[in-house]
């Protein structure tokens, strides 16, 4: 197994691993360590079936079934992220960390590039550990004990980004989307012990015990700061890439710059722990 860093801030390419074959424990451990060390890892030129995709994900923990989006037929664990040439909106087209509106947000997600446009459709990843490290001591001290309220409402409730004709908000989903949960603003990574910023503009609504209007300027500062170019890796997909990101320590943003072309990605999402 050969690991090649992709940029100075985050990301690594892993070669010499066939994801269709059984892996020994040492290889699985090395992959898990690379995920924590680099935040984003990509295995190029993999040819996996949905069952092999699910089996690979299940090595890291139980798999999530997305509470609001359509799955691949017959495979509830696989999110079918598909944009047709005539569609204009894409999935994940804003900075976010997956499913932070859950009490236990995912450990990571594994995306398999099945069809990519000739150009465009890249995904940006931001390193939230580096973003935290670069804050002033005063800002770190202020954020240390703060708690943020997260919810799916902005994206999945009635009037949200995905509550459109293709994904109509159903009553039950509508209720779930309006639920909120609390997470620390500064989270400790459960494996590396590193501190990191754990807020994102898609699902974080406000700080606990503060109004939205009071929270907004500080949150906006943190969003701008954490997505400055120095903390970001841009992945240009090649068909048959299998990539995994550490959802505890990163945010991502799927660019929507390939109108008139098809893009199909399959995502398996691994459950995580309650942030502390
Ligand atoms: C997502 O999981 O947010 C979408 C990522 C992508 O399609 O690149």
């Amino acid at each position: 197994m050969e690991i090649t860093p992709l940029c100075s801030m985050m990301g690594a390419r892993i070669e010499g691993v066939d994801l269709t074959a059984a892996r020994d424990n040492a290889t699985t451990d090395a992959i898990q360590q690379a995920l924590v060390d680099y935040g984003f890892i990509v295995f190029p030129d993999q040819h996996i079936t949905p069952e092999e995709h699910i089996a690979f994900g299940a090595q890291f923990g139980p798999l999530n079934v997305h509470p609001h989006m359509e799955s691949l037929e017959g495979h509830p664990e696989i999110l079918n992220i598909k944009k047709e040439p005539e569609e204009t909106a894409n999935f994940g087209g804003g900075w976010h960390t997956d499913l932070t509106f859950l009490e236990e947000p995912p450990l990571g997600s594994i995306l398999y590039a099945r069809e990519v446009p000739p150009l465009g459709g890249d995904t940006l990843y931001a390193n939230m550990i580096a973003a935290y490290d670069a804050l002033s001591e005063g800002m770190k001290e202020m954020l240390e004990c703060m708690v943020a309220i997260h919810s799916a409402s902005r994206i999945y409730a009635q009037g949200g980004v995905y509550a459109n004709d293709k994904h109509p908000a159903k009553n039950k989903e509508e209720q779930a989307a309006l639920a909120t949960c609390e997470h620390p603003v500064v989270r400790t990574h459960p494996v590396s012990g590193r501190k990191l910023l754990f807020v994102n503009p898609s699902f974080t609504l406000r700080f606990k015990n503060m109004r939205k209007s009071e929270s907004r300027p500080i949150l906006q500062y943190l969003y701008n700061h954490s997505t400055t170019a120095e903390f970001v890796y841009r992945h240009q997909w090649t068909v048959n890439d299998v990539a995994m990101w550490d959802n505890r320590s990163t945010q991502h943003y799927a660019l929507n710059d390939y109108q008139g072309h098809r893009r199909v990605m399959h995502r398996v999402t691994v459950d995580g722990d309650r942030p502390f």
Side-chain angles (χ1 to χ4, degrees), residues 79 81-82 90-94 96-98 109 111 121-125 156 162 235 237 245 252-255 258 263-267 269:
L79 188 57
I81 301 175
K82 185 167 65 173
N90 74 331
F91 177 78
H96 65 285
T97 298
D98 291 332
S109 293
L111 203 60
D122 301 351
T123 309
L124 309 178
Y125 293 87
Y156 297 112
Y162 294 118
H235 189 67
W237 297 95
W245 57 88
H252 56 283
Y253 185 142
L255 295 178
Y258 54 97
R263 182 178 185 270
V264 183
M265 314 291 268
H266 286 175
R267 192 179 97 187
T269 307

Side-chain angles (χ1 to χ4, degrees), residues 31-246:
I31 292 172
Q32 294 203 15
Q33 192 56 49
L35 178 72
V36 173
D37 292 344
Y38 294 97
F40 171 91
I41 51 179
V42 58
F43 303 84
D45 199 25
Q46 299 287 336
H47 300 264
I48 53 171
T49 62
E51 289 74 20
E52 286 162 345
H53 191 177
I54 289 169
F56 179 59
Q59 287 205 311
F60 299 93
L63 300 183
N64 170 276
V65 175
H66 199 286
H68 303 292
M69 297 299 289
E70 275 167 33
S71 300
L72 185 68
E73 207 178 332
H75 297 94
E77 307 89 343
I78 297 184
L79 188 57
N80 194 13
I81 301 175
K82 185 167 65 173
K83 183 170 174 249
E84 298 291 356
E86 65 280 7
E87 289 182 308
T88 52
N90 74 331
F91 177 78
W95 282 108
H96 65 285
T97 298
D98 291 332
L99 305 169
T100 63
F101 51 85
L102 300 179
E103 299 286 343
E104 297 183 343
L107 169 160
S109 293
I110 302 163
L111 203 60
Y112 183 29
R114 299 196 70 94
E115 258 184 76
V116 298
L119 270 182
D122 301 351
T123 309
L124 309 178
Y125 293 87
N127 181 336
M128 301 299 278
I129 296 176
Y132 173 79
D133 285 346
L135 292 172
S136 67
E137 289 310 311
M139 181 62 105
K140 287 180 184 165
E141 222 170 277
M142 182 184 88
L143 298 175
E144 183 66 32
C145 298
M146 288 174 76
V147 169
I149 310 293
H150 295 241
S151 159
S153 60
R154 204 179 280 140
I155 307 295
Y156 297 112
Q158 198 76 49
V161 178
Y162 294 118
N164 53 26
D165 291 348
K166 194 173 165 199
H167 310 290
K170 300 184 193 90
N171 249 348
K172 195 161 61 73
E173 287 174 352
E174 172 82 357
Q175 288 309 316
L178 293 175
T180 59
C181 73
E182 298 180 1
H183 296 306
V185 172
V186 176
R187 165 178 194 183
T188 302
H189 194 287
V191 180
S192 68
R194 302 281 299 274
K195 287 189 178 176
L196 63 108
L197 271 177
F198 198 64
V199 287
N200 70 87
S202 295
F203 302 125
T204 308
L205 296 184
R206 62 180 173 83
F207 296 121
K208 186 177 178 180
N209 299 328
M210 281 199 199
R211 297 188 189 99
K212 277 189 182 168
S213 57
E214 293 169 321
S215 309
R216 200 172 299 127
I218 305 170
L219 283 172
Q220 194 55 55
Y221 171 77
L222 296 175
Y223 300 151
N224 293 345
H225 166 76
S226 57
T227 57
T228 50
E230 282 77 7
F231 307 133
V232 172
Y233 165 69
R234 177 174 181 150
H235 189 67
Q236 194 172 3
W237 297 95
T238 301
V239 78
N240 295 323
D241 276 351
V242 173
M244 180 168 190
W245 57 88
D246 188 335

